[in-house]
Structure formats: C-alpha cells, structure tokens
Amino acid sequence: MPSPFCDHAVTVVDLALPPRIRYPARGLATGWHTDTTTPPTAPADLLGRTRARILGHLAQPTSTTEPAQRLGVTPGTVSRHLGVLHRTGLVTRARHGHLVLYLRSPLGDRLLM
C-alpha cells in the first residue's frame, strides 16, 4: 500500500493481519529528496549514463513513468533500458496489477557502490 510516511519499501508482518508491503506514495515520499547527483563514473562508463541514472533511481519499486519524468526521457526509452538491466540481473521486476514494478537487485546495488 502506498504511504506518504516512508521513503523505501517496508514489509509489515503481524501474524494477526494479512502481510503488507508499504512503499512511498508517488511524488509525496520523495518530495524532500534532492537527487541531483550524477552516477559514479565507473557504472556510467560500463552501462552508459542513462542506464546508470535509471539504475540509481531504483532503490524502491517503481514503474517506467517516474524515472522517465525525473530523467526527462520517454517511458519507452526507460522500458528498453530496464529490459537490458533486467536481462543482465541488475534489476528485478514484478507485476502489481496493471503495472510492472522494477527494483535494483543486490548485484545492481553492489555495482553502484
């Protein structure tokens, strides 16, 4: 469920209730973030600047729309880059209703370190 009070995905486990995953509400939970940093040069040199920037935006589950808006590219461009990142194991994806949500994998995390 979307929450304006978190900035990353959180799993809530209470044996008396069904399991829940809370994630940032679109546009609200990241409103105070100032993510204007450029990616480290090694990932950008390896992946290309756009793919490295997309990978940097996948700390929490997101669809193609949000990175496209933040980076000023089309959702189709983001989708093509995410396909490559998924095939290389740098991101994972899961369907949530009509959306496909992408998340940086542990391998992708290590690449950005």
Side-chain angles (χ1 to χ4, degrees), residues 9 18 35-37 39-40 52 66-68 83-85 89 91-92 103 112:
D35 186 18
T36 59
T37 61
E66 187 177 334
V84 172
L85 293 170
V91 300
T92 60
L103 179 66
L112 293 182

Side-chain angles (χ1 to χ4, degrees), residues 4-55:
F5 304 108
C6 63
D7 65 352
H8 63 280
V10 177
T11 303
V12 180
V13 178
D14 182 346
L15 298 178
L17 299 171
R20 297 178 306 278
I21 297 177
R22 291 192 179 138
Y23 56 92
R26 185 176 305 189
L28 293 175
T30 59
W32 58 83
H33 291 250
T34 56
D35 186 18
T36 59
T37 61
T38 57
T41 59
D45 291 344
L46 179 66
L47 302 172
R49 181 174 168 84
T50 302
R51 283 191 188 133
R53 291 180 68 203
I54 290 170
L55 190 61

Side-chain angles (χ1 to χ4, degrees), residues 8 40 43 47 51-52 54-61 85 88-92 102-113:
H8 63 280
L47 302 172
R51 283 191 188 133
I54 290 170
L55 190 61
H57 285 285
L58 297 176
Q60 56 259 351
L85 293 170
T88 58
L90 296 174
V91 300
T92 60
Y102 294 87
L103 179 66
R104 193 170 51 229
S105 71
L107 179 61
D109 288 337
R110 287 193 305 270
L111 180 66
L112 293 182
M113 288 181 158

